[in-house]
Amino acid sequence: MSTTTTKPHLGFIGLGKMGGPIAERLIRHGNPVTVYDVDVRALDAAVKAGGRPVGSPRAVASEAQIVFTCLPALEIVREVALGTEGVCQGGTVEILVDCSTTGPEFATHLGLELAKHDITLLDSPVSGGVKRAREGQLALIMSGNREAYARVAPVVEPCGRTYYMGEQPGLAQMMKLVNNLLSQISTAATYEAFVLGAKAGLDPDAMVEVINDSTGMNNCTLYKMPTSVLPRTFDYGSNMEITYKDITLCMKEADRLGVTMLMGNMARQLWGYGVHHGGAKRDSSTLITYLEEWAGVKVVGAAGRGRAR
């Protein structure tokens, strides 16, 4: 005798570069998903995948038991969750899973405010980039109520692997900030090193091969350099302002905890320079172009020699 398990009705708000692929994977694995985004093109893509469109976060939370948010800025998360047309006004939602990167302090506050509306917050920032989001290979870092986590973890299996940090609010956010700190420092150092090598006459494609078979290998040399920088497509993933926001949140936590962050603050200054000199909406991989300008050289691979800029 077979039994049928009814899948929970899901909602997804924020269908951008990361949220869109996550929502589409949830839809294509048989979940009923109600979707919303202020960007009509992003909403249309989710609808084509099978999502049901509605006109506000409140409308999403009036249909879905578990609502996901994946949004670029703290003030947007706050409005979507707690505004007059926000998730907190919906009558069906039980759990809000926030996949945004907001920092521990904000996550703790958001959880307390949502609890006033009988909504449980699961703090769930994601890591891995756009390509891995499409492939369902993300790291989904979670903290919050253990029973809520037990309900959500099976739902997000098509999207990647979950890591439960514990019940304390904000632990997942702290883990994401620590990871991003390492990524951003190594990326900045990689760009400096490649600019130096190119100035000295080294072939950038050869540099990638040697470094990825040596001790300097990192995520940037493995993926960002060969797929986005050397071909000069500069299409790796998030905008530079998002990267700057993440590292600024991390430095804020370091200050709060009294931890000296020499390299972290240097990286924040570098990303900040890019943001404040025309790069806010540009792909984060374009940070290298500022270092190239200072050195008077371009780091171009064979695939990018027809489009170098």
Side-chain angles (χ1 to χ4, degrees), residues 6-18:
T6 302
K7 295 197 175 197
H9 193 126
L10 308 180
F12 211 104
I13 302 166
L15 303 163
K17 291 181 179 179
M18 291 295 290

PDB file of all heavy atoms in Angstrom, residues 6-18:
ATOM      1  N   THR A   6       1.954  15.061   0.851  1.00  0.00           N
ATOM      2  CA  THR A   6       1.629  16.341   0.236  1.00  0.00           C
ATOM      3  C   THR A   6       2.762  17.320   0.472  1.00  0.00           C
ATOM      4  O   THR A   6       3.203  17.528   1.600  1.00  0.00           O
ATOM      5  CB  THR A   6       0.328  16.906   0.831  1.00  0.00           C
ATOM      6  OG1 THR A   6      -0.714  15.953   0.632  1.00  0.00           O
ATOM      7  CG2 THR A   6      -0.036  18.216   0.161  1.00  0.00           C
ATOM      8  N   LYS A   7       3.233  17.910  -0.595  1.00  0.00           N
ATOM      9  CA  LYS A   7       4.328  18.873  -0.473  1.00  0.00           C
ATOM     10  C   LYS A   7       3.780  20.192   0.036  1.00  0.00           C
ATOM     11  O   LYS A   7       2.679  20.600  -0.313  1.00  0.00           O
ATOM     12  CB  LYS A   7       5.009  19.064  -1.831  1.00  0.00           C
ATOM     13  CG  LYS A   7       5.699  17.801  -2.333  1.00  0.00           C
ATOM     14  CD  LYS A   7       6.687  18.117  -3.430  1.00  0.00           C
ATOM     15  CE  LYS A   7       7.449  16.848  -3.814  1.00  0.00           C
ATOM     16  NZ  LYS A   7       8.666  17.128  -4.559  1.00  0.00           N
ATOM     17  N   PRO A   8       4.542  20.887   0.880  1.00  0.00           N
ATOM     18  CA  PRO A   8       4.063  22.177   1.394  1.00  0.00           C
ATOM     19  C   PRO A   8       3.993  23.200   0.276  1.00  0.00           C
ATOM     20  O   PRO A   8       4.767  23.160  -0.688  1.00  0.00           O
ATOM     21  CB  PRO A   8       5.129  22.554   2.432  1.00  0.00           C
ATOM     22  CG  PRO A   8       6.366  21.845   1.976  1.00  0.00           C
ATOM     23  CD  PRO A   8       5.895  20.548   1.380  1.00  0.00           C
ATOM     24  N   HIS A   9       3.056  24.123   0.407  1.00  0.00           N
ATOM     25  CA  HIS A   9       2.969  25.222  -0.550  1.00  0.00           C
ATOM     26  C   HIS A   9       4.061  26.227  -0.204  1.00  0.00           C
ATOM     27  O   HIS A   9       4.140  26.715   0.927  1.00  0.00           O
ATOM     28  CB  HIS A   9       1.594  25.882  -0.475  1.00  0.00           C
ATOM     29  CG  HIS A   9       1.311  26.800  -1.624  1.00  0.00           C
ATOM     30  ND1 HIS A   9       0.206  26.686  -2.417  1.00  0.00           N
ATOM     31  CD2 HIS A   9       2.018  27.849  -2.134  1.00  0.00           C
ATOM     32  CE1 HIS A   9       0.219  27.622  -3.353  1.00  0.00           C
ATOM     33  NE2 HIS A   9       1.311  28.341  -3.196  1.00  0.00           N
ATOM     34  N   LEU A  10       4.907  26.549  -1.181  1.00  0.00           N
ATOM     35  CA  LEU A  10       6.038  27.436  -0.970  1.00  0.00           C
ATOM     36  C   LEU A  10       5.783  28.800  -1.594  1.00  0.00           C
ATOM     37  O   LEU A  10       4.988  28.938  -2.524  1.00  0.00           O
ATOM     38  CB  LEU A  10       7.308  26.839  -1.586  1.00  0.00           C
ATOM     39  CG  LEU A  10       7.670  25.403  -1.191  1.00  0.00           C
ATOM     40  CD1 LEU A  10       8.945  24.975  -1.893  1.00  0.00           C
ATOM     41  CD2 LEU A  10       7.808  25.265   0.320  1.00  0.00           C
ATOM     42  N   GLY A  11       6.470  29.788  -1.080  1.00  0.00           N
ATOM     43  CA  GLY A  11       6.485  31.109  -1.678  1.00  0.00           C
ATOM     44  C   GLY A  11       7.913  31.553  -1.880  1.00  0.00           C
ATOM     45  O   GLY A  11       8.799  31.163  -1.115  1.00  0.00           O
ATOM     46  N   PHE A  12       8.144  32.360  -2.919  1.00  0.00           N
ATOM     47  CA  PHE A  12       9.503  32.848  -3.152  1.00  0.00           C
ATOM     48  C   PHE A  12       9.433  34.302  -3.577  1.00  0.00           C
ATOM     49  O   PHE A  12       8.751  34.662  -4.536  1.00  0.00           O
ATOM     50  CB  PHE A  12      10.228  32.036  -4.220  1.00  0.00           C
ATOM     51  CG  PHE A  12      11.709  31.978  -3.994  1.00  0.00           C
ATOM     52  CD1 PHE A  12      12.301  30.838  -3.492  1.00  0.00           C
ATOM     53  CD2 PHE A  12      12.515  33.085  -4.241  1.00  0.00           C
ATOM     54  CE1 PHE A  12      13.673  30.794  -3.252  1.00  0.00           C
ATOM     55  CE2 PHE A  12      13.868  33.058  -4.010  1.00  0.00           C
ATOM     56  CZ  PHE A  12      14.463  31.905  -3.507  1.00  0.00           C
ATOM     57  N   ILE A  13      10.173  35.147  -2.832  1.00  0.00           N
ATOM     58  CA  ILE A  13      10.205  36.588  -3.075  1.00  0.00           C
ATOM     59  C   ILE A  13      11.649  37.005  -3.308  1.00  0.00           C
ATOM     60  O   ILE A  13      12.507  36.797  -2.446  1.00  0.00           O
ATOM     61  CB  ILE A  13       9.627  37.361  -1.873  1.00  0.00           C
ATOM     62  CG1 ILE A  13       8.197  36.912  -1.577  1.00  0.00           C
ATOM     63  CG2 ILE A  13       9.679  38.860  -2.131  1.00  0.00           C
ATOM     64  CD1 ILE A  13       7.676  37.376  -0.235  1.00  0.00           C
ATOM     65  N   GLY A  14      11.915  37.582  -4.481  1.00  0.00           N
ATOM     66  CA  GLY A  14      13.280  37.976  -4.832  1.00  0.00           C
ATOM     67  C   GLY A  14      13.857  36.993  -5.827  1.00  0.00           C
ATOM     68  O   GLY A  14      14.517  36.024  -5.446  1.00  0.00           O
ATOM     69  N   LEU A  15      13.613  37.238  -7.125  1.00  0.00           N
ATOM     70  CA  LEU A  15      13.925  36.270  -8.169  1.00  0.00           C
ATOM     71  C   LEU A  15      15.081  36.741  -9.041  1.00  0.00           C
ATOM     72  O   LEU A  15      15.080  36.577 -10.250  1.00  0.00           O
ATOM     73  CB  LEU A  15      12.674  36.017  -9.013  1.00  0.00           C
ATOM     74  CG  LEU A  15      11.459  35.541  -8.218  1.00  0.00           C
ATOM     75  CD1 LEU A  15      10.175  35.716  -9.023  1.00  0.00           C
ATOM     76  CD2 LEU A  15      11.635  34.091  -7.789  1.00  0.00           C
ATOM     77  N   GLY A  16      16.086  37.311  -8.392  1.00  0.00           N
ATOM     78  CA  GLY A  16      17.236  37.852  -9.099  1.00  0.00           C
ATOM     79  C   GLY A  16      18.243  36.786  -9.489  1.00  0.00           C
ATOM     80  O   GLY A  16      17.901  35.615  -9.693  1.00  0.00           O
ATOM     81  N   LYS A  17      19.519  37.179  -9.545  1.00  0.00           N
ATOM     82  CA  LYS A  17      20.563  36.279 -10.044  1.00  0.00           C
ATOM     83  C   LYS A  17      20.675  34.997  -9.234  1.00  0.00           C
ATOM     84  O   LYS A  17      20.945  33.931  -9.787  1.00  0.00           O
ATOM     85  CB  LYS A  17      21.908  37.010 -10.051  1.00  0.00           C
ATOM     86  CG  LYS A  17      21.993  38.123 -11.085  1.00  0.00           C
ATOM     87  CD  LYS A  17      23.354  38.799 -11.049  1.00  0.00           C
ATOM     88  CE  LYS A  17      23.447  39.898 -12.093  1.00  0.00           C
ATOM     89  NZ  LYS A  17      24.771  40.584 -12.065  1.00  0.00           N
ATOM     90  N   MET A  18      20.499  35.080  -7.918  1.00  0.00           N
ATOM     91  CA  MET A  18      20.542  33.887  -7.071  1.00  0.00           C
ATOM     92  C   MET A  18      19.148  33.334  -6.800  1.00  0.00           C
ATOM     93  O   MET A  18      18.910  32.133  -6.901  1.00  0.00           O
ATOM     94  CB  MET A  18      21.232  34.221  -5.746  1.00  0.00           C
ATOM     95  CG  MET A  18      22.707  34.511  -5.868  1.00  0.00           C
ATOM     96  SD  MET A  18      23.686  33.078  -6.410  1.00  0.00           S
ATOM     97  CE  MET A  18      23.583  32.045  -4.960  1.00  0.00           C
TER      98      MET A  18
END
